[in-house]
Amino acid sequence: MSLPPITMSRLFKILIIFLVITVVGLVFSKPVFRPFENTDTIINKIGCRLFEFNVISVTAFDNIDLDNIQIKIRDKIVFKDGKQRHKIGQEHGYSILDIYFKDRLIAVIGHMKTNDWFTNKYIIEVSKQDNNYIVKHEITGPDSKNDNFQKRYVYNEENSLIQIDYMTENGNIYNTEKKGGNNL
């Protein structure tokens, strides 16, 4: 008994079906990878390549429009218009998030990651006090407490930078750098 010959159109249909099943399988496979998050396994590494397990959650208070808050990692915008837009990435070293209100840098938060494959949740709250924005943050994940820091940028009424406060995760200021009030 011989099989019928495979024609080009039949081969094309088989290829399309295979690609559709693969794409659908990948789209719905995130829950399969989630239990392996932050483990030193091949499954976690594949999951981190396919999906973004790092999460940014931002809450705004005091009538601050969440759409005016932007978060960047290096020059890449990862949070904009009220939601996470791009992957934070899986890189060893410092994860540093620059937080902007409109086009004004209001804070920098970060921590040290000792493993490329660890993922974190970044919970950020922004409120307003006088002319300045107060950022509170919490980072959860395996490396969340490694050199966790914040730099708060303090401006005067003319929107000139007057000082930078260096803070711990708990909001305790451990150093203040005075500026001349020059416009940025």
Side-chain angles (χ1 to χ4, degrees):
M1 176 173 200
S2 65
L3 295 173
I6 297 178
T7 63
M8 277 307 260
S9 65
R10 186 170 181 184
L11 183 62
F12 183 72
K13 287 177 187 177
I14 291 170
L15 182 61
I16 293 296
I17 290 170
F18 175 76
L19 288 174
V20 167
I21 290 171
T22 302
V23 169
V24 169
L26 285 174
V27 168
F28 292 107
S29 67
K30 191 172 186 177
V32 172
F33 291 99
R34 183 66 79 178
F36 298 95
E37 183 179 6
N38 293 326
T39 62
D40 195 18
T41 61
I42 296 294
I43 294 173
N44 178 51
K45 292 175 184 178
I46 293 169
C48 287
R49 290 281 186 211
L50 296 174
F51 305 105
E52 173 63 293
F53 291 130
N54 291 297
V55 177
I56 298 176
S57 172
V58 180
T59 306
F61 299 99
D62 303 322
N63 296 322
I64 296 173
D65 186 358
L66 195 57
D67 289 342
N68 289 324
I69 296 173
Q70 234 183 50
I71 300 176
K72 296 180 181 180
I73 293 182
R74 290 177 286 288
D75 290 330
K76 179 175 66 171
I77 297 171
V78 293
F79 184 92
K80 182 180 179 180
D81 297 328
K83 62 183 177 179
Q84 189 169 344
R85 296 291 181 178
H86 299 286
K87 287 184 171 189
I88 291 174
Q90 300 301 125
E91 293 180 15
H92 174 97
Y94 279 98
S95 286
I96 299 175
L97 288 77
D98 298 330
I99 303 169
Y100 292 84
F101 181 78
K102 296 187 179 176
D103 291 327
R104 181 165 77 169
L105 181 63
I106 58 173
V108 173
I109 64 170
H111 67 111
M112 170 64 113
K113 289 176 58 177
T114 60
N115 185 314
D116 288 348
W117 307 108
F118 284 164
T119 59
N120 298 282
K121 183 172 185 176
Y122 301 87
I123 302 166
I124 300 167
E125 296 179 349
V126 181
S127 59
K128 191 168 185 180
Q129 182 180 16
D130 299 324
N131 190 45
N132 289 289
Y133 295 90
I134 306 300
V135 174
K136 293 182 181 177
H137 77 283
E138 179 183 356
I139 303 171
T140 58
D143 282 335
S144 62
K145 303 301 177 202
N146 290 344
D147 199 14
N148 189 326
F149 68 90
Q150 179 182 160
K151 288 175 21 181
R152 176 175 59 198
Y153 292 78
V154 181
Y155 297 86
N156 62 17
E157 295 80 24
E158 291 83 35
N159 288 326
S160 295
L161 180 65
I162 56 173
Q163 73 185 41
I164 301 172
D165 292 331
Y166 295 82
M167 306 164 65
T168 64
E169 176 186 16
N170 299 328
N172 299 323
I173 298 172
Y174 63 87
N175 189 27
T176 296
E177 182 181 332
K178 298 287 184 182
K179 298 292 182 179
N182 297 325
N183 288 324
L184 292 180

